[in-house]
Amino acid sequence: MRKIIIASHHNFANGLKDTVEYIFPNQTEIITIAAYTTNEPVQSAVAGALSSLSSEDEAIVFTDLLGGSVNQEFVKYIAKDNVHIITGMNLPVVLGVLMGLTESKIDPDFLRATVSDAKEQLVYVNDYFSQQTLDEDDE
């Protein structure tokens, strides 16, 4: 079994899940953790999300901030080779991972490549279009 977990401070995780399911419906169950929106401690929410994970299972965890408390709580589980954590989550990385999943065990190189591809989507659009205009003028 594979668990997909989207975890963030406040409601970012819920909004991202909603958008992912709109674009990529009925593909997989996504668990969200919207930390600090209830009285449940982050530690309990993370432990609960990972509690049923056996050694044959895998978890792909997306978090919002590298240095944030949500990510740091998941980092405690990183010694398990079946827990994969990607932080700085955005829509391109979540969609890229979900669309590339197969029945096989997750290949960390696939995750690395997907993260790299998602980084390419982080663009200061003003400069991007300025460069496009310059390139067209050069031709």
Side-chain angles (χ1 to χ4, degrees):
M1 181 178 83
R2 182 175 289 143
K3 286 189 172 201
I4 306 297
I5 302 168
I6 300 177
S8 70
H9 296 80
H10 213 269
N11 286 310
F12 179 43
N14 295 331
L16 186 55
K17 175 186 176 182
D18 184 59
T19 301
V20 166
E21 290 177 339
Y22 172 76
I23 295 171
F24 201 50
N26 305 317
Q27 294 302 313
T28 190
E29 180 185 352
I30 298 173
I31 299 164
T32 60
I33 295 175
Y36 308 110
T37 58
T38 67
N39 289 331
E40 181 180 20
V42 175
Q43 298 85 348
S44 298
V46 170
L50 295 174
S51 65
S52 65
L53 194 69
S54 75
S55 60
E56 291 83 37
D57 297 334
E58 294 180 299
I60 304 173
V61 179
F62 298 95
T63 66
D64 55 355
L65 294 169
L66 179 61
S69 58
V70 174
N71 187 69
Q72 294 309 307
E73 195 57 41
F74 278 103
V75 167
K76 295 175 182 176
Y77 296 86
I78 207 164
K80 297 181 178 204
D81 64 354
N82 61 342
V83 176
H84 306 274
I85 305 169
I86 297 173
T87 195
M89 67 182 172
N90 59 24
L91 187 59
V93 77
V94 175
L95 287 176
V97 168
L98 293 178
M99 290 190 302
L101 291 177
T102 65
E103 294 298 318
S104 303
K105 287 276 189 187
I106 296 169
D107 178 2
D109 286 335
F110 159 69
L111 295 178
R112 289 180 190 102
T114 305
V115 167
S116 181
D117 290 345
K119 286 179 184 179
E120 295 296 317
Q121 294 293 313
L122 189 59
V123 174
Y124 179 45
V125 176
N126 296 45
D127 288 347
Y128 176 80
F129 277 101
S130 287
Q131 186 60 44
Q132 298 303 313
T133 302
L134 289 174
D135 289 346
E136 290 170 8
D137 289 344
D138 291 342
E139 292 178 6

